[in-house]
Amino acid sequence: MKRLPLSALQAFESAARRGSFRIAGEELGISPSAVSHAVRKLEDLMGAALFEREGRAVRLNPAGEALMRHVAVGFDEMRQGIEMVGARSVNLLRLHCAPSLAAQWLLPRLRTLLAGQPGLEVRLAAGVNYPRFEHDEFDADICYGPPRQEGLIVVPLGEETVTPLCAPEMAARISEPLDLLAHDLIESDNKRVRWSHWFESNGIAPPGPRGSRFDRSFMAIAAAVDGLGIALESTRLAEREIARGQLVAPLAGKANDVRYVGHYLVFPRAAKARRAVRMFTTWITQELDVPTPRI
């Protein structure tokens, strides 16, 4: 296999991503002609054209697209490796989190976390496609529901209380569980505790679907604040809205709430050696008043 210059591959990757030798040059700190020469050298060494040139614009041809798929992955792997062994990696936490917990609970506390852990740097991504830690893209994950992957360190993040929540003006018309049947009930499609569970726990036949539906709890909470109906949500996720008086629990002490462990902090066993992971694990378990594991 031919040994290809890293500088030529870097010029190719930047030009392919940017669609311009000029912009690639600005990104790399070299002239557009230097980018063009580097790409030409790569094409000569590989014996194949990689770009279709149209004036000052360039775009990948099929051969270039095929190469770019692999080169992009390679540069990303290099970047991650450099971060892992670089000086900054000691205090860098690459964290994935369930979207609603990230928006409703973690972000409002991020300033406190960083102030209490000088030097800690957090890179936060939120989504429901939980990482499997196969490509070292994240150090830890806060997932919704028990993790399905084996071989991870799993830290349950305590019980959450799920109860009907609504705007104060709507709460004035609710004094018992049956009163809910006269109102729109906001659904969170991806939630593990649904209205049917709540009604059954209170000895009431669940009504048919009625009201707005959302696939994220933070949207259901926002809809309840706006008076669109009653949301069945975790008081942990809605704590800010409750504290501000935007939402109230009209049936507190008058109905059976559902309590369950909804979120888990998980990370590979190898990650426990990282100072940032240990710092975050200690912080979040203390913040939630749950046992801190020995890692």
Side-chain angles (χ1 to χ4, degrees):
M1 184 181 69
K2 294 181 180 178
R3 297 178 63 88
L4 303 176
L6 182 60
S7 59
L9 289 168
Q10 189 176 29
F12 163 77
E13 188 274 338
S14 182
R17 182 163 38 82
R18 296 292 193 172
S20 165
F21 288 165
R22 180 184 62 80
I23 298 176
E26 292 175 356
E27 181 176 85
L28 299 174
I30 59 179
S31 67
S33 62
V35 174
S36 178
H37 287 311
V39 170
R40 285 289 189 193
K41 182 176 182 180
L42 181 64
E43 290 176 323
D44 291 341
L45 288 171
M46 298 192 67
L50 301 172
F51 287 95
E52 292 181 3
R53 295 161 172 81
E54 300 173 352
R56 294 185 178 182
V58 293
R59 61 186 179 89
L60 293 171
N61 62 19
E65 290 176 351
L67 180 61
M68 181 58 178
R69 284 194 294 270
H70 297 282
V71 169
V73 171
F75 273 107
D76 189 53
E77 291 286 334
M78 288 174 60
R79 177 188 57 77
Q80 292 180 21
I82 291 169
E83 287 181 350
M84 281 294 295
V85 302
R88 295 178 66 200
S89 70
V90 175
N91 291 326
L92 173 63
L93 177 68
R94 301 167 303 167
L95 180 66
H96 186 276
C97 186
S100 291
L101 190 76
Q104 295 290 119
W105 189 89
L106 184 57
L107 278 177
R109 287 171 167 78
L110 200 55
R111 178 182 295 182
T112 301
L113 167 63
L114 297 177
Q117 307 289 347
L120 179 66
E121 179 183 350
V122 176
R123 294 185 184 175
L124 177 63
V128 295
N129 295 321
Y130 299 128
R132 297 184 60 84
F133 304 106
E134 294 173 344
H135 303 294
D136 191 41
E137 71 273 42
F138 294 104
D139 301 309
D141 183 18
I142 302 176
C143 60
Y144 181 60
R148 294 181 289 272
Q149 185 178 351
E150 297 181 354
L152 301 176
I153 293 177
V154 179
V155 183
L157 295 180
E159 285 192 333
E160 300 176 40
T161 299
V162 178
T163 190
L165 298 170
C166 64
E169 52 272 21
M170 188 176 294
R173 303 191 296 272
I174 301 171
S175 58
E176 62 176 359
L178 286 173
D179 290 339
L180 299 183
L181 301 178
H183 296 274
D184 286 338
L185 305 178
I186 299 171
E187 286 279 2
S188 293
D189 288 338
N190 291 326
K191 200 160 191 67
R192 294 173 61 209
V193 178
R194 308 291 293 273
W195 275 113
S196 58
H197 302 126
W198 188 89
F199 278 111
E200 289 168 359
S201 72
N202 283 278
I204 301 172
R210 184 179 66 253
S212 302
R213 303 179 70 94
F214 302 94
D215 68 349
R216 298 288 181 271
S217 286
F218 69 84
M219 292 191 287
I221 290 169
V225 169
D226 286 342
L228 295 183
I230 304 170
L232 183 66
E233 287 297 339
S234 162
T235 55
R236 177 182 295 175
L237 297 183
E239 64 178 10
R240 284 189 304 168
E241 290 78 8
I242 294 172
R244 294 169 180 165
Q246 296 173 303
L247 290 179
V248 296
L251 296 175
K254 303 176 184 178
N256 296 321
D257 293 325
V258 178
R259 294 179 62 83
Y260 79 123
V261 178
H263 294 89
Y264 299 78
L265 173 66
V266 300
F267 48 87
R269 295 188 180 279
K272 68 181 181 180
R274 302 203 62 206
R275 179 171 178 264
V277 172
R278 297 197 305 271
M279 290 166 58
F280 183 75
T281 301
T282 299
W283 174 81
I284 194 171
T285 51
Q286 291 178 349
E287 191 75 12
L288 291 170
D289 195 24
V290 298
T292 302
R294 297 181 63 182
I295 60 175

